[in-house]
Amino acid sequence: MFLEAHEDLQVCGEASNGEEAIAKAEMLKPQLVIMDLAMPTMSGAEAAYTIKRAIPETKVVMFSLYPDPARKDMAKSLGVDLVVSKVDGVAGLMDTLRELMSDREFRKGLDHVSNATEAA
């Protein structure tokens, strides 16, 4: 996965669909989950809602090809903390993650990242 190439992040899990993302998040209790809005079995938005209800302190970043205002609003209403466009690429995602991690309150105790990705 592309995040493993960045030494300032530690990937503790990966999932290929929304249901798997929920199961891994509940097991690993990560501080941060990154997932796509469009995922098989269950959408990333539905999975984010379930993850935020189970682990409210977990930050959820949606990395999506479709970050239009309506989808961003829907994602935010389901508990997604940030929506990043895939058009911005990995560099845009990394800039956003670094900005998020520079937040003192969030950074406190940060020791691993869970990464839920769409199926290849």
Side-chain angles (χ1 to χ4, degrees), residues 3 27 46 86 97:
L3 292 178
M27 180 179 66
E46 291 173 289
K86 284 187 177 180
L97 294 179

PDB file of all heavy atoms in Angstrom, residues 3 27 46 86 97:
ATOM      1  N   LEU A   3       0.822   3.982   1.585  1.00  0.00           N
ATOM      2  CA  LEU A   3       1.135   4.631   2.860  1.00  0.00           C
ATOM      3  C   LEU A   3       2.356   4.020   3.534  1.00  0.00           C
ATOM      4  O   LEU A   3       3.033   4.680   4.311  1.00  0.00           O
ATOM      5  CB  LEU A   3      -0.052   4.567   3.815  1.00  0.00           C
ATOM      6  CG  LEU A   3      -1.273   5.382   3.426  1.00  0.00           C
ATOM      7  CD1 LEU A   3      -2.374   5.181   4.434  1.00  0.00           C
ATOM      8  CD2 LEU A   3      -0.930   6.847   3.295  1.00  0.00           C
ATOM      9  N   MET A  27     -11.229  -4.348  16.065  1.00  0.00           N
ATOM     10  CA  MET A  27     -10.171  -5.169  16.643  1.00  0.00           C
ATOM     11  C   MET A  27      -8.925  -4.328  16.959  1.00  0.00           C
ATOM     12  O   MET A  27      -8.335  -4.466  18.031  1.00  0.00           O
ATOM     13  CB  MET A  27      -9.794  -6.290  15.671  1.00  0.00           C
ATOM     14  CG  MET A  27      -8.701  -7.207  16.182  1.00  0.00           C
ATOM     15  SD  MET A  27      -8.307  -8.535  15.019  1.00  0.00           S
ATOM     16  CE  MET A  27      -7.624  -7.636  13.645  1.00  0.00           C
ATOM     17  N   GLU A  46     -21.115   4.162   5.010  1.00  0.00           N
ATOM     18  CA  GLU A  46     -21.805   3.320   5.996  1.00  0.00           C
ATOM     19  C   GLU A  46     -20.820   2.735   7.003  1.00  0.00           C
ATOM     20  O   GLU A  46     -21.092   2.689   8.201  1.00  0.00           O
ATOM     21  CB  GLU A  46     -22.546   2.183   5.300  1.00  0.00           C
ATOM     22  CG  GLU A  46     -23.730   2.624   4.470  1.00  0.00           C
ATOM     23  CD  GLU A  46     -24.310   1.465   3.688  1.00  0.00           C
ATOM     24  OE1 GLU A  46     -23.654   1.021   2.728  1.00  0.00           O
ATOM     25  OE2 GLU A  46     -25.400   0.995   4.072  1.00  0.00           O
ATOM     26  N   LYS A  86      -9.339  12.123  -4.613  1.00  0.00           N
ATOM     27  CA  LYS A  86      -8.289  11.335  -5.262  1.00  0.00           C
ATOM     28  C   LYS A  86      -7.635  12.140  -6.377  1.00  0.00           C
ATOM     29  O   LYS A  86      -6.510  11.839  -6.766  1.00  0.00           O
ATOM     30  CB  LYS A  86      -8.861  10.030  -5.809  1.00  0.00           C
ATOM     31  CG  LYS A  86      -9.119   9.002  -4.745  1.00  0.00           C
ATOM     32  CD  LYS A  86      -9.525   7.685  -5.358  1.00  0.00           C
ATOM     33  CE  LYS A  86      -9.704   6.639  -4.270  1.00  0.00           C
ATOM     34  NZ  LYS A  86     -10.108   5.340  -4.824  1.00  0.00           N
ATOM     35  N   LEU A  97      -3.060  14.411   5.789  1.00  0.00           N
ATOM     36  CA  LEU A  97      -2.765  13.586   6.963  1.00  0.00           C
ATOM     37  C   LEU A  97      -1.738  14.254   7.867  1.00  0.00           C
ATOM     38  O   LEU A  97      -1.874  14.238   9.093  1.00  0.00           O
ATOM     39  CB  LEU A  97      -2.274  12.204   6.540  1.00  0.00           C
ATOM     40  CG  LEU A  97      -3.281  11.321   5.825  1.00  0.00           C
ATOM     41  CD1 LEU A  97      -2.644  10.003   5.439  1.00  0.00           C
ATOM     42  CD2 LEU A  97      -4.517  11.105   6.675  1.00  0.00           C
TER      43      LEU A  97
END
